Amino acid sequence: MAESKGVLLAKSVQKHAGRAKEKILQNLGKVDRTADDIFDEHLTNFNRQQGNANRLQKEFNNYIRCIRAVQTASKSLMDAICEVYENQWAGSEALHAQVAAIEVLWQDFSHKLGDQVLIPLNTYTAQFPEMKKKIEKRNRKLIDYDSQRHSFQNLQANAAKRKDDVKVTKGREQLEEARRTYELLNSELHDELPALHDSRILFLVTNLQTLFASEQVFHNETNKIYAELEAIVDKLATDSQRGSYTLKKANVNSTPSSPQQPAIKAIANSTATISNNSYPNTTITNGSANANSHQTPTDLPPGTLYRVKATYRYIKEDVDELSFEVGDIIRVIEYDDPEDQEEGWLMGVKENSTEKGLFPANFTRPL
């Protein structure tokens, strides 16, 4: 077995050395090489097509990353707007509905770009490495053919003097085998390379049509939503100029306080504390142990700070993250190491399971 491997290794080294010698002789002009101008033109087109495809793939991947970053920033901004827009103001419910709608548009837009543009682009570019290997194999077989051709020419010249017909016959057979191997690969590439080059137009048209159509739908629909949001804010401005909210505030201040007001304030403070925990961008003020016991419902399991409900689906992108579906309940818990806490992320355990991990806070709402 070891001897067989040694023989194969020796043949491989000999073959590589023979090819290297043939290339050196060709480059020095000592021997001729088989020319194929048509193939060279196909190869030039292939290299240019591959370079263009790789450039497009690189730039579109970067574009997708930027789109997703803007999507995240948009959601954070809209969450902040919803938080500061008071419930008693005009159009509060409509504003929340429009914010939810724009988030759905962002998700659909991002998914379309990934599924209908990026995946086909990746499939298209995946053809080039395999074709490149076949071209390189064809080039190696061409060198083998040229080398065998030159060896046979030398053999013929020497055999004519020595009258060694056996070596000539064997050399002719080796030359014919090398020629068939090369021409088979060469013929296939003469068909495949032009076909691949011609496919670029149909691919590009289909891919760009999908991209531009997705962009158009997204921007048209978001324009409608932003127009609605602008109308909501305009209505708030009109009501404010009429003194609507100033009068309400005066009425509240003039009303005698009732015994129930301290309890209402306590509930509001508790809700504010929970909201602060749910949105890491806000400042969280920790009170005493007694204060925390009033802020945490008595039915929470030990170690649970509060519960949240998933408002969006999330698929984990790392092993320490938590996946969930819309409507899933998650128990928020303390980080094992407070120094590991990341802005905008919470640590939690999915309700009725042992699944534990990090998840984005803005994909959930506190219960």
Side-chain angles (χ1 to χ4, degrees):
M1 186 68 178
E3 182 180 355
S4 177
K5 289 184 177 179
V7 171
L8 292 176
L9 179 61
K11 288 183 177 179
S12 177
V13 171
Q14 184 179 6
K15 183 178 292 186
H16 282 80
R19 288 171 180 165
K21 179 182 178 181
E22 180 68 19
K23 290 180 69 174
I24 291 173
L25 293 175
Q26 289 179 351
N27 292 335
L28 293 175
K30 300 293 185 180
V31 295
D32 63 342
R33 68 177 73 191
T34 300
D36 190 337
D37 295 336
I38 297 178
F39 179 83
D40 291 342
E41 182 179 353
H42 292 331
L43 183 59
T44 299
N45 291 335
F46 170 82
N47 290 331
R48 182 169 59 248
Q49 184 182 6
Q50 183 182 27
N52 292 338
N54 289 339
R55 168 73 188 280
L56 186 62
Q57 184 184 42
K58 174 185 175 182
E59 296 303 332
F60 193 77
N61 272 300
N62 182 57
Y63 181 71
I64 285 283
R65 285 192 293 269
C66 293
I67 287 293
R68 288 172 179 167
V70 175
Q71 178 184 2
T72 301
S74 173
K75 178 167 177 54
S76 297
L77 174 62
M78 291 301 170
D79 286 344
I81 291 173
C82 288
E83 188 173 342
V84 302
Y85 202 97
E86 298 180 12
N87 291 336
Q88 71 271 22
W89 288 354
S92 174
E93 292 184 1
L95 181 137
H96 283 76
Q98 296 298 334
V99 166
I102 201 171
E103 176 60 22
V104 171
L105 285 178
W106 270 112
Q107 290 180 344
D108 289 344
F109 180 49
S110 179
H111 289 158
K112 282 184 179 179
L113 292 182
D115 296 343
Q116 301 180 21
V117 180
L118 183 58
I119 290 179
L121 177 57
N122 290 340
T123 302
Y124 174 71
T125 55
Q127 303 173 91
F128 296 99
E130 291 301 319
M131 188 65 73
K132 191 77 173 179
K133 291 180 182 178
K134 195 168 185 178
I135 292 172
E136 291 172 352
K137 183 177 181 180
R138 175 261 183 197
N139 292 340
R140 291 194 300 270
K141 296 305 179 182
L142 174 59
I143 294 175
D144 291 344
Y145 168 60
D146 282 340
S147 177
Q148 197 65 44
R149 182 165 54 84
H150 297 143
S151 296
F152 182 69
Q153 291 171 352
N154 294 333
L155 184 63
Q156 279 184 314
N158 294 330
K161 299 176 183 178
R162 301 176 182 175
K163 297 182 180 180
D164 194 345
D165 295 335
V166 176
K167 289 186 177 180
V168 172
T169 301
K170 184 177 180 181
R172 184 179 289 108
E173 291 174 353
Q174 292 174 339
L175 174 60
E176 184 63 21
E177 182 181 356
R179 183 188 64 80
R180 283 196 303 268
T181 303
Y182 157 69
E183 288 185 349
L184 178 62
L185 284 171
N186 192 55
S187 178
E188 290 177 357
L189 288 171
H190 269 272
D191 293 334
E192 294 172 2
L193 287 176
L196 177 61
H197 189 247
D198 291 341
S199 71
R200 74 195 189 284
I201 298 176
L202 179 59
F203 164 76
L204 194 62
V205 167
T206 304
N207 205 247
L208 293 184
Q209 283 178 336
T210 304
L211 170 62
F212 298 150
S214 300
E215 291 273 2
Q216 184 181 25
V217 170
F218 172 74
H219 292 297
N220 286 343
E221 294 301 318
T222 52
N223 281 340
K224 295 177 184 177
I225 291 178
Y226 282 119
E228 293 291 335
L229 291 174
E230 184 181 12
I232 292 170
V233 176
D234 287 344
K235 180 66 167 58
L236 176 64
T238 301
D239 289 353
S240 178
Q241 290 171 357
R242 292 174 179 172
S244 301
Y245 303 107
T246 303
L247 291 175
K248 290 180 180 179
K249 182 177 181 181
N251 291 335
V252 171
N253 289 337
S254 63
T255 303
S257 60
S258 66
Q260 295 179 346
Q261 285 181 346
I264 295 175
K265 290 182 179 179
I267 293 173
N269 290 337
S270 176
T271 304
T273 302
I274 293 175
S275 297
N276 285 338
N277 287 329
S278 301
Y279 298 92
N281 291 331
T282 60
T283 302
I284 302 174
T285 303
N286 293 321
S288 64
N290 290 333
N292 285 336
S293 67
H294 289 295
Q295 296 167 2
T296 304
T298 56
D299 60 340
L300 290 178
T304 301
L305 302 177
Y306 54 94
R307 286 186 175 94
V308 296
K309 184 175 182 179
T311 53
Y312 302 96
R313 183 190 185 200
Y314 181 73
I315 303 299
K316 65 180 181 181
E317 299 179 354
D318 208 342
V319 292
D320 62 347
E321 295 180 8
L322 182 67
S323 297
F324 49 80
E325 301 291 336
V326 175
D328 284 352
I329 305 300
I330 303 170
R331 295 188 288 107
V332 179
I333 61 175
E334 295 278 1
Y335 275 67
D336 295 335
D337 185 350
E339 295 183 357
D340 292 338
Q341 184 163 355
E342 298 180 27
E343 183 177 357
W345 291 79
L346 297 174
M347 176 69 73
V349 178
K350 195 184 297 185
E351 192 83 349
N352 300 323
S353 77
T354 58
E355 296 179 55
K356 172 184 174 183
L358 298 171
F359 64 94
N362 55 11
F363 276 58
T364 65
R365 65 173 177 82
L367 293 175

